Amino acid sequence: MEKVVAVIMVGGPTKGTRFRPLSFNTPKPLFPLAGQPMIQHPISACKRIPNLAQIFLIGFYEEREFALYVSSISNELKVPVRYLKEDKQHGSAGGLYYFRDMIMEENPSHIILLNCDVCCSFPLPDLLEAHKRYGGMGTMLVIKVSAESAHQFGELIADPNTKELLHYTEKPETFVSDLINCGVYVFTPDIFTAIQGVLTHREDRANIRQVSSFEAFQSATRTLPVDFVRLDQDILSPLAGKKQLYTYETMDFWEQIKTPGMSLKCSSLYLALFKITSPQLLASGNGITSATIAGDVYIHPSAKVHPTAKIGPNVSISANVRVGAGVRLISCIVLDDVEIKENAVVLNSIIGWKSSLGRWARVQGNGDYNAKLGITILGEAVTVEDEVVVINSIVLPNKVLNVSVQEEIIL
């Protein structure tokens, strides 16, 4: 029987800086979207793959940060999940190669590779089936985006009939195509041979070509380490047009989760997806014995919500939250152990762990997910006192707000 393994790249603490202040105490992959850790959405999608043998998480967070989660999700899904810590950054393909012996332990016929900070419906069984039809070394999930935004991603050209990847360029300066790489792939084990080829070529050259300023900054030199291999520039671009790589287009949603604003948008997308995949996770209420629920809402079983509150749409309430009488919550993520007192309003915001909102307080953003101050973010243990209004602001942890603020970053 053919076996499949999945590999999810989770990055590390030197990345995710744009996710602050929410990533100060919680690794970005464990930040909850729609009530589940960010990484759980792709993990749950992997569970739908036939003959899945194992899931690997590869990153350079400390192992203790993932130990508890990996143990609990393995038990919950009845699939072995292992966290593999890189000794240093090896690049998206280099990290895969570094752990090749462990990944190939079960002798899988196919390897699913995903990036943790991608939000989509993860049509992995369909992607795998398409890959088998094409018969190449790898198949990538792609999607059409607006021509204006395409340059932020890897742009590609595919044969409209055979779906072969003909050309690939990462974040080009001039427009190439409105078809982009989603960061979700399926490969045969031949991917390791391709990566080995890059490494051998590197070793044969004394002078390694220059890299982008970002990666030069990452490696603190103007040259790439010999064992640093990028999937996009080092594998996809050179192999395009050689009948080895193919594309599968998704017509569903897709986003990258780079900022807290995007996490709020992606939480909304996952809540909507729950209607199809996991309707039991969505809350309901009648406004008499339980709160009025409007649209897609997740409420943790341990949360206490007053029946006169009105919740939704797009609201995720985490463990041990207390929501008082007359509270109105719209388009927000409320994290563990938050207290929201009577008649407070939260709109387009993320409320950090152990924070407290006073009576008649108002915390809101304008809902522009891409703007720096488009949503309001309260870090951990922030207190907003009675009748204080906080609009389009970011508040770092352990602050007490006793006056109203607008469009400020409170350090």
Side-chain angles (χ1 to χ4, degrees), residues 211-249:
V211 296
S212 74
S213 57
F214 171 72
E215 278 161 341
F217 173 74
Q218 292 295 90
S219 59
T221 77
R222 290 301 294 174
T223 57
L224 279 175
V226 173
D227 58 355
F228 188 95
V229 185
R230 303 155 300 180
L231 189 62
D232 34 32
Q233 290 102 319
D234 298 325
I235 303 293
L236 303 182
S237 294
L239 289 180
K242 295 183 177 174
K243 294 191 164 40
Q244 295 202 54
L245 299 174
Y246 292 83
T247 60
Y248 179 79
E249 186 176 351

Side-chain angles (χ1 to χ4, degrees), residues 201-213:
H201 183 60
R202 285 258 180 86
E203 288 161 5
D204 290 345
R205 291 171 60 192
N207 298 318
I208 302 168
R209 69 170 180 267
Q210 290 199 337
V211 296
S212 74
S213 57

Side-chain angles (χ1 to χ4, degrees), residues 322-328 339-346 356-363 383-389 401 404:
R322 300 173 301 290
V323 178
V327 165
R328 183 73 177 100
E339 181 175 19
I340 303 177
K341 295 180 182 174
E342 298 92 277
N343 302 309
V345 175
V346 181
S356 170
L357 308 190
R359 296 170 183 83
W360 297 98
R362 186 177 186 93
V363 176
T383 299
V384 178
E385 295 195 343
D386 292 356
E387 301 179 25
V388 168
V389 178
L401 299 184
S404 296

Side-chain angles (χ1 to χ4, degrees), residues 72-338:
S72 67
I73 196 67
S74 297
N75 291 334
E76 184 182 326
L77 295 184
K78 304 290 186 283
V79 173
V81 179
R82 289 172 69 184
Y83 177 68
L84 305 176
K85 184 184 183 299
E86 294 180 85
D87 58 341
K88 60 179 180 179
Q89 295 184 50
H90 291 275
S92 45
L96 192 70
Y97 188 78
Y98 184 74
F99 292 110
R100 62 194 179 281
D101 292 343
M102 292 185 191
I103 292 168
M104 291 304 296
E105 264 174 0
E106 303 265 358
N107 198 26
S109 60
H110 295 89
I111 300 154
I112 302 282
L113 179 66
L114 312 99
N115 286 310
C116 171
D117 62 356
V118 163
C119 165
C120 67
S121 58
F122 298 106
L124 301 180
D126 294 341
L127 178 68
L128 184 58
E129 283 306 308
H131 171 78
K132 289 176 180 177
R133 288 198 305 274
Y134 300 148
M137 180 187 79
T139 302
M140 67 165 76
L141 191 69
V142 302
I143 193 169
K144 274 199 170 66
V145 297
S146 68
E148 296 76 35
S149 65
H151 70 278
Q152 302 169 40
F153 312 103
E155 296 182 28
L156 57 103
I157 295 170
D159 185 299
N161 298 316
T162 65
K163 307 303 179 189
E164 184 196 349
L165 179 69
L166 300 177
H167 177 72
Y168 183 87
T169 179
E170 185 68 18
K171 298 180 181 172
E173 291 183 9
T174 55
F175 179 75
V176 174
S177 165
D178 59 358
L179 207 56
I180 64 156
N181 175 8
C182 291
V184 178
Y185 314 86
V186 55
F187 291 108
T188 65
D190 291 339
I191 183 66
F192 294 118
T193 308
I195 300 169
Q196 176 62 55
V198 174
L199 294 170
T200 303
H201 183 60
R202 285 258 180 86
E203 288 161 5
D204 290 345
R205 291 171 60 192
N207 298 318
I208 302 168
R209 69 170 180 267
Q210 290 199 337
V211 296
S212 74
S213 57
F214 171 72
E215 278 161 341
F217 173 74
Q218 292 295 90
S219 59
T221 77
R222 290 301 294 174
T223 57
L224 279 175
V226 173
D227 58 355
F228 188 95
V229 185
R230 303 155 300 180
L231 189 62
D232 34 32
Q233 290 102 319
D234 298 325
I235 303 293
L236 303 182
S237 294
L239 289 180
K242 295 183 177 174
K243 294 191 164 40
Q244 295 202 54
L245 299 174
Y246 292 83
T247 60
Y248 179 79
E249 186 176 351
T250 177
M251 300 298 173
D252 218 331
F253 64 89
W254 180 87
E255 296 287 351
Q256 252 187 329
I257 316 166
K258 295 295 187 190
T259 62
M262 287 311 300
S263 74
L264 186 54
K265 180 176 185 180
C266 292
S267 190
S268 168
L269 292 168
Y270 281 138
L271 285 169
L273 186 63
F274 283 170
K275 281 191 290 200
I276 303 162
T277 62
S278 313
Q280 74 280 3
L281 293 176
L282 295 175
S284 58
N286 56 19
I288 301 166
T289 56
S290 57
T292 301
I293 304 295
D296 303 326
V297 172
Y298 169 83
I299 300 176
H300 191 275
S302 64
K304 292 183 169 53
V305 181
H306 196 277
T308 60
K310 185 172 182 183
I311 315 293
N314 179 26
V315 173
S316 172
I317 297 177
S318 297
N320 304 312
V321 170
R322 300 173 301 290
V323 178
V327 165
R328 183 73 177 100
L329 305 180
I330 308 167
S331 189
C332 59
I333 296 173
V334 182
L335 298 167
D336 294 358
D337 303 308
V338 166

